[in-house]
Amino acid sequence: MATEISAVQAPVVPQTRGVPALLLKLRALIALAVVVAFFSVAAPNFLSASNFLIMFKHIAITAILAIGMTYVILTGGIDLSVGSIAGLGGMAAGTLILNGVTLQPLGVVVYPGVPLVIAIVLLLGGFAGFLNGVLVARFRVAPFIATLGMLYVARGAALLLSDGATFPNLVGRTGLGNEGFPWLGSASVLGLPVTVLLLAALALLAGFVARDTPFGRWVYAVGGNERAALLSGVRVDRVKIAVYVISGVCAALVGMIVASELVAAHPASGETFELSAIAAVVLGGASLSGGRGSVGGALIGACVIGVLGDGLVMMGVSEFWQMVIKGLVIIAAVVLDQLQGRLTAAGRT
């Protein structure tokens, strides 16, 4: 038993050798250097300080989603519902700010303050993730199917909150004590956007948890060999549920950031966010089969996706071509993941 527990505490990833393996391992950094170099020449004002601040805010959206997605993918799962949960989170925040909560027995409407709004929406996102986790862990539903179903449920719930309309002007009212929501997505502290500071705090916390805590080792163990992890005493079902909760909370936070920045919430917000998050995680070196990846790699992958998107916009590239190019990036990321997997398997022999 002692041998089994030690294996869980320090999951071993076979090391590949040679230049191809090294290039695959560093693919996210190489891709980031290439796109930055290209757009520095091709796009006017790409390297300006103002553009970098805007670009970092856009990158933060994908990066926060990628942090939650990293935990899910490390266990061998996938979460297709994060974009819809983000949309639901923004709409829920809009509902609470504009319409409040009606307490039928008392016949009054309560308007929660912004900190309470944020807490409620994060709990909502965590609950959606919890449902995903229960379906995957307890009912043995394939992650693709479970989260695809939640994608539709969350999007439908977002539409129902406003009958498909947009919640505008989410600034709150002084007499109700619910002002300040735009601060989350638009304010700056010491010259840095609050969104970027939130990302930095989340990244440090998520990286520490994944690398230096028992829970992080359990996550890697479940993705590396679920049967061995179970025999070693890891509560596999709880770990799986927990990672989907983390992903749901990250998605809800992103939904509020987007709504706060726009000072409006739209039920279609967050569409295709899940694809960017998955691409960032895989491009950053994570394996879709689980057990390999890191928060740092996912952040670099998010930078690649963000720089690519903003650079194409600055060059005036058609939105349709942007979709084609981003799709090709996702395909390339998966192909590279497969190549790395084959080299890893070859390294065992």
Side-chain angles (χ1 to χ4, degrees):
M1 179 62 70
T3 303
E4 292 173 342
I5 292 177
S6 64
V8 172
Q9 290 176 338
V12 177
V13 178
Q15 298 296 314
T16 55
R17 299 175 182 177
V19 175
L22 179 62
L23 292 177
L24 282 173
K25 186 175 181 180
L26 299 176
R27 61 182 181 267
L29 279 173
I30 295 171
L32 181 58
V34 169
V35 294
V36 168
F38 174 77
F39 288 123
S40 298
V41 176
N45 301 319
F46 178 78
L47 294 178
S48 66
S50 59
N51 180 61
F52 265 83
L53 283 177
I54 295 172
M55 189 162 55
F56 283 148
K57 292 177 70 174
H58 295 165
I59 289 172
I61 298 298
T62 301
I64 292 172
L65 288 175
I67 288 173
M69 189 70 72
T70 298
Y71 278 90
V72 173
I73 289 179
L74 282 174
T75 64
I78 200 79
D79 191 350
L80 300 179
S81 66
V82 292
S84 295
I85 294 175
L88 177 59
M91 292 300 291
T95 300
L96 292 170
I97 291 171
L98 294 182
N99 300 332
V101 178
T102 302
L103 302 178
Q104 292 289 354
L106 301 177
V108 298
V109 179
V110 177
Y111 291 87
V114 170
L116 185 55
V117 167
I118 293 173
I120 292 172
V121 174
L122 292 180
L123 286 173
L124 177 63
F127 179 70
F130 173 79
L131 294 179
N132 279 333
V134 168
L135 288 172
V136 172
R138 298 295 172 86
F139 291 93
R140 301 294 185 263
V141 179
F144 179 90
I145 300 301
T147 58
L148 180 63
M150 184 57 67
L151 179 154
Y152 284 104
V153 171
R155 187 65 68 191
L159 290 163
L160 285 170
L161 285 174
S162 65
D163 290 329
T166 298
F167 283 131
N169 199 28
L170 301 181
V171 296
R173 285 174 279 180
T174 304
L176 300 176
N178 61 353
E179 291 181 303
F181 184 66
W183 182 87
L184 181 63
S186 303
S188 297
V189 176
L190 300 177
L192 292 175
V194 169
T195 305
V196 175
L197 296 176
L198 277 174
L199 169 62
L202 281 174
L204 289 173
L205 177 61
F208 170 76
V209 170
R211 186 179 58 251
D212 299 318
T213 68
F215 176 75
R217 292 190 286 272
W218 298 338
V219 169
Y220 278 98
V222 169
N225 190 324
E226 182 176 325
R227 179 62 178 169
L230 185 64
L231 293 175
S232 299
V234 176
R235 296 185 175 181
V236 172
D237 287 356
R238 293 189 180 184
V239 171
K240 287 185 176 182
I241 292 173
V243 297
Y244 282 100
V245 170
I246 292 170
S247 182
V249 169
C250 289
L253 177 59
V254 164
M256 286 190 290
I257 289 173
V258 172
S260 173
E261 185 176 3
L262 299 175
V263 200
H266 190 277
S269 177
E271 288 184 346
T272 73
F273 278 16
E274 60 277 355
L275 302 182
S276 296
I278 294 169
V281 175
V282 177
L283 189 60
S287 170
L288 287 172
S289 59
R292 186 183 76 236
S294 67
V295 172
L299 294 180
I300 298 173
C303 288
V304 174
I305 300 298
V307 170
L308 181 64
D310 279 32
L312 291 174
V313 170
M314 294 185 70
M315 288 182 62
V317 176
S318 163
E319 183 180 353
F320 307 136
W321 276 109
Q322 291 182 42
M323 294 175 65
V324 172
I325 294 170
K326 289 180 180 179
L328 291 174
V329 170
I330 293 173
I331 293 172
V334 175
V335 170
L336 291 173
D337 170 59
Q338 295 298 315
L339 289 175
Q340 186 174 5
R342 291 175 185 175
L343 286 175
T344 300
R348 296 191 184 102
T349 60

